[in-house]
Amino acid sequence: MSDIIHLLPDSVANQIAAGEVIQRPASVLKELVENSIDAGATHIQIVIKDAGRTLIQVVDNGKGMSETDARMAFERHATSKITSADDLFSIRTMGFRGEALASIAAVAQIELRTRRTEDELGVMVEIAGTRVFKQEMIQCGTGTTFLVKNLFFNVPARRRFLKSDNVEKGHLLNEFYRIALVNPEISFSFFDGDEEIFQLPASNIKVRIESIFGKNAKKRWQQQLLTIETSTNLVRIHGYVGKPEFAQKSAIQYFFVNGRYMRHPYFHKAVLLAYNQMIQATESPNYFIYFEVEPQTIDINIHPTKTEIKFENEQAIWSILTAAVKEALGKFNIIPSIDFDQEGAVEMPVGIPVENVRPPQTNFNPDYNPFGSSGYKRPNLNWEDLYGGFEKKAEPMEASTIEWGTTESGGEILTYTEQEQQQVIDNIESRATNYQYKNRYILTGIKSGLLMIDQHRAHTRILYDLFLTQIENAKSVSQQVLFPEILELSADDALFFEQILPDLESIGFDFESLGNYSYSVKGVSSHTGTGSVIDLLLEMLHNAKTTALDPTTKIHETIALTLAESASLKSGQRLTAEEMADLIDRLFACENHNFTPDGKKIMTVFSQEELDKRF
Ligand code: ADP
Ligand code: MG
């Protein structure tokens, strides 16, 4: 029997290889544009027709090819980019495998026109399914034009495998964004048939981002980008992250390494970590993050269709990344933005507006003495007055002052005040005995029905109003501690801490700076509760930092709320009759006794009618 193994003809081998490299029109676009970039082009024009099925045209003003190179370019493993295996470790070009053109030529009809500056004439090559149909010298400008027509004309199965025009166009655009975002100094134009989709002048990264994604919402994009920048001997990370309030369900997220798009789920988590608690779990921040590393520290063996890239120092870079993003988020509100990008500079709110602070609208009891034997001196209040006043005065919580918890809709607040409240007002005459239900709610009979108060929320409101007043008046009682604990902060946290220090001091904290971003906590607010003071301070710091991101919210309100929540009565805490009575009195002494500062309902009324119906 004769031998049966033989080498496949080039045309077949190339078609098989093409199956891997060229999966859809977008892969052709990627390969052609990357070649143009490698050729040093400063302007690249793209034209597609029928979602790339019938035409993908890429015109560049790069260095062009010689007559011989124009033919050689279509050979498999023909490349000008590397010459030896050593070069594999220092790749600075997009391509290096020398496979792309051979693959495209195996599955499409190609027309190439190219000329180098030094040549009088250019060359034109027509090739289809690996066969050269025509080659001639022509008059043309410097640079290279590729026309790729009738993709998969000889591979019907592949053609059928393509998705709808919209899906394929989506792929084309995605591929285009990935390249345009990392080459802002190159101008691009993108046409779908005769329609101009993009005209992107040479610019910088920020303007490029805005002109791609902010087409119809430029202002919005200008407002949301925060610069990140950090440089270590392992990596340089730069780019932009979106402010937390611009987070969205389908966020726009890009990582690039050494000028190449990459996916990196691990680094993605590092970014999310920096946004911890600033955004809802269902949302994700926009980001455009560029890594520059020594080429030998990443896996260069990147398959053309793969976008995952392996880093040598992944863990270290993870930490650097988180820190860089955190810094950008923490910094933007307290440090004026200095942006060296001339064009499209962002208008960022700078600093926290400390003046124009609204005076507290609370009925603060100036006689309050936390060290008094009963702990609280009951104000001489008349419920009826309070409720009467409430009807006129109390407004739904100002959504603008407290942003993060206004889950109760304005509508709900109205329903409550109109219906239930009216009944209460009409009927109150005397206070009934209070009953504590499940150590969590206080039930009290009122003439119009049954009032149920959440003790933790009620106390939070009371303390919040108190702390806010203390901060505003910078007057409170401090408890000196016997063994001061040490608060150790990072450099940027310390910077922020200094900003909130006066607020903390006015609610009773007393610090001594030990240098090196450390503070000795010498005195605490008389209300700090039983938890760890350091944890509480860190929580206040964290919440205040988050609040700082939103110029409409005031930092001292956040501090007051954090402390109030931590110090207030917990659910499950048993109360004596006296304590319940105190709590109710103090709650109704608060102007806004219906809702906690973050918008949670404190009390509800079961009307007499409702109760009667049940019997
Ligand atoms: P690779 O990019 O991996 O080298 P390709 O098959 O994509 O392989 O291209 C083969 C060669 O053709 C390139 O190395 C380059 O020398 C040349 N080439 C391709 N496109 C262009 C272009 N637009 N301008 C100049 N030279 C090009
Ligand atoms: Mg290439």
Side-chain angles (χ1 to χ4, degrees), residues 27-164:
S27 351
V28 175
L29 182 75
K30 168 179 188 278
E31 295 298 337
L32 293 183
V33 177
E34 285 187 351
N35 280 345
S36 297
I37 291 166
D38 286 344
T42 58
H43 178 75
I44 299 173
Q45 189 202 53
I46 298 160
V47 182
I48 58 162
K49 274 190 189 142
D50 302 315
R53 281 171 225 270
T54 51
L55 178 73
I56 299 161
Q57 178 184 326
V58 174
V59 184
D60 71 47
N61 63 351
K63 66 178 185 226
M65 285 177 260
S66 72
E67 194 190 345
T68 325
D69 284 352
R71 274 293 290 275
M72 268 294 279
F74 295 99
E75 296 293 328
R76 206 132 62 95
H77 308 304
T79 180
S80 56
K81 297 168 194 174
I82 57 171
T83 47
S84 72
D86 286 348
D87 294 348
L88 277 174
F89 298 99
S90 55
I91 283 173
R92 295 273 180 195
T93 51
M94 302 300 291
F96 59 89
R97 295 161 167 265
E99 283 184 320
L101 290 183
S103 299
I104 299 170
V107 293
Q109 298 158 350
I110 300 186
E111 193 183 308
L112 160 67
R113 292 157 188 272
T114 185
R115 181 171 78 81
R116 301 183 298 179
T117 345
E118 62 264 42
D119 297 331
E120 280 280 301
L121 285 177
V123 58
M124 191 266 250
V125 179
E126 264 183 42
I127 191 166
T130 319
R131 275 183 56 208
V132 180
F133 284 91
K134 198 170 178 184
Q135 174 166 359
E136 61 185 37
M137 303 310 282
I138 53 157
Q139 295 274 353
C140 66
T142 321
T144 304
T145 297
F146 270 100
L147 278 83
V148 174
K149 292 183 271 192
N150 304 320
L151 184 63
F152 302 133
F153 77 102
N154 53 353
V155 202
R158 279 259 149 188
R159 208 164 54 228
R160 277 197 300 273
F161 172 79
L162 292 179
K163 300 282 190 311
S164 74

